[in-house]
Amino acid sequence: MNRDNGLQPERTNLAWTRTTLSSAACFLFLLHVAVRQGWGLAVVPAVCTAAATATLVALGRDRGLVASRPLVLALVGVLVAVACVSALPLVLHDPR
């Protein structure tokens, strides 16, 4: 008899919550960087991260969407990749 049968959905829910909160924190950081650097191209990673966060919130509310539409997860992956690549010059920029 499997004693932890009910724990797997709870762990999955907590993982989705942590991922969404991490994405939101990254969005706030990149928004802060964009504001400090006068917007411009610095807004690109912030917008990509905001879109990824919004998609993760939608996925967190409807788990069936993940199973029925794997392209949605691919979209999140692309948004995160674009955000990371476009944020590299902003984060590595030395203002001295």
Side-chain angles (χ1 to χ4, degrees):
M1 184 168 179
N2 192 356
R3 290 182 296 175
D4 64 346
N5 195 17
L7 294 179
Q8 182 60 41
E10 184 178 349
R11 286 194 301 260
T12 301
N13 188 34
L14 289 171
W16 278 99
T17 302
R18 282 190 307 270
T19 303
T20 304
L21 287 173
S22 299
S23 179
C26 289
F27 163 68
L28 291 174
F29 170 72
L30 292 170
L31 184 65
H32 172 74
V33 170
V35 169
R36 289 192 53 114
Q37 293 193 2
W39 301 100
L41 289 177
V43 77
V44 172
V47 168
C48 289
T49 309
T53 302
T55 306
L56 286 170
V57 167
L59 288 173
R61 296 206 182 271
D62 183 13
R63 296 286 188 306
L65 187 63
V66 176
S68 65
R69 301 216 170 108
L71 289 178
V72 175
L73 286 178
L75 170 67
V76 172
V78 168
L79 288 169
V80 169
V82 169
C84 290
V85 169
S86 60
L88 275 176
L90 301 174
V91 176
L92 297 178
H93 174 70
D94 187 12
R96 289 186 269 163

